[in-house]
Amino acid sequence: MTVLDVRAVTKVYGDGAATVHALRGVSLDVERGEYVAIMGSSGSGKSTLMNILGCLDIPSTGRYLLDGVDVSRLNDRQLALVRNRRIGFVFQSFNLIPRTTAVANVELPLAYAGVKPAERRRRALVALDMVGLADRAGHEPNQLSGGQQQRVAVARALVTEPALVLADEPTGNLDSRSTEDILRIFDDLHAAGRTIVLITHETDVAARASRLIRLFDGQIASDIWQERILT
């Protein structure tokens, strides 16, 4: 089943002499269970494409279907619902709420979705266990290492059982050991059939994916299947 269906998507900012064509007719499909890395230098359109895939922005032209839903035509409220229910985000900066326990941070998307407290707590604890942090559920972010904070962020991304896990430079703020911990979690998620799209500028991180898409000047320069490099 196709999870991402991007059809001739463009994104234009500004007008007249200030016009910027960030994306120039990007088309791609991602099937359920794929592990895709997207790379590109500054100005390639990588961040713009991530924002569209994550329903944080909409195309100027073209269509984008996420898990069968044409999100190109949704209003702001509908986009917010899609982000909450169908996408699990993992950001470089963790984006955890300070002075709030790990389990409460993981519960947050479920609270927005109206899930009852007892069920929220149960599912959050399961998600923390998946990333090896069940014993840190009561710790606040300032009591956790950077790698542990990112694992909490991954648990938060998984707790809604999203159609897509979208990770934007998830290892950018981590040391080599913590980077390996996070990548092993992604390896396990891929093995379990999760759909992962990873935005990165690091070739060794991209090498863990089974498919590599490179962007250049707002277009797909290459889209190849690759032998995954595991450690």
Side-chain angles (χ1 to χ4, degrees):
M1 180 178 177
T2 302
V3 175
L4 302 183
D5 184 356
V6 179
R7 306 179 185 179
V9 160
T10 70
K11 186 64 183 182
V12 181
Y13 298 102
D15 52 34
T19 299
V20 175
H21 294 271
L23 294 178
R24 302 170 181 264
V26 170
S27 296
L28 63 95
D29 296 331
V30 175
E31 300 298 316
R32 188 171 304 282
E34 283 192 46
Y35 186 177
V36 181
I38 298 177
M39 300 189 73
S41 58
S42 178
S44 65
K46 179 180 62 177
S47 295
T48 301
L49 179 59
M50 187 216 67
N51 287 338
I52 289 174
L53 295 181
C55 299
L56 300 168
D57 202 352
I58 58 173
S60 298
T61 62
R63 297 181 68 192
Y64 168 39
L65 285 80
L66 171 61
D67 209 24
V69 176
D70 187 353
V71 297
S72 318
R73 306 291 181 257
L74 302 183
N75 60 34
D76 289 345
R77 179 179 176 278
Q78 291 168 326
L79 284 172
L81 287 173
V82 168
R83 286 194 297 270
N84 178 262
R85 296 175 182 177
R86 297 179 186 264
I87 305 171
F89 291 96
V90 182
F91 295 105
Q92 178 176 345
S93 56
F94 317 145
N95 289 356
L96 301 180
I97 300 174
R99 295 182 296 281
T100 303
T101 63
V103 69
N105 268 283
V106 175
E107 284 183 37
L108 196 59
L110 300 176
Y112 288 145
V115 177
K116 292 182 179 180
E119 178 64 7
R120 288 202 312 258
R121 181 58 53 100
R122 184 192 69 79
R123 289 171 61 177
L125 290 171
V126 169
L128 283 170
D129 188 49
M130 288 175 63
V131 300
L133 281 183
D135 61 340
R136 297 290 189 271
H139 287 58
E140 297 179 3
N142 65 358
Q143 298 171 311
L144 301 171
S145 69
Q148 289 171 332
Q149 290 184 60
Q150 190 62 298
R151 282 193 273 164
V152 173
V154 173
R156 183 183 58 196
L158 297 174
V159 76
T160 59
E161 299 182 355
L164 169 68
V165 175
L166 183 59
D168 181 22
E169 301 284 3
T171 61
N173 284 339
L174 303 179
D175 59 30
S176 59
R177 180 175 178 179
S178 296
T179 291
E180 181 59 27
D181 288 343
I182 294 299
L183 293 178
R184 282 179 179 161
I185 290 171
F186 285 138
D187 291 341
D188 292 343
L189 294 174
H190 174 58
R194 297 276 187 172
T195 307
I196 305 169
V197 173
L198 174 72
I199 314 296
T200 185
H201 68 277
E202 300 175 77
T203 54
D204 55 337
V205 173
R208 301 292 277 264
S210 53
R211 180 180 171 193
L212 175 60
I213 296 173
R214 292 185 181 272
L215 294 181
F216 182 76
D217 282 352
Q219 297 178 305
I220 293 178
S222 63
D223 182 352
I224 61 171
W225 292 90
Q226 59 182 9
E227 187 81 23
R228 299 179 65 216
I229 298 178
L230 304 179
T231 59

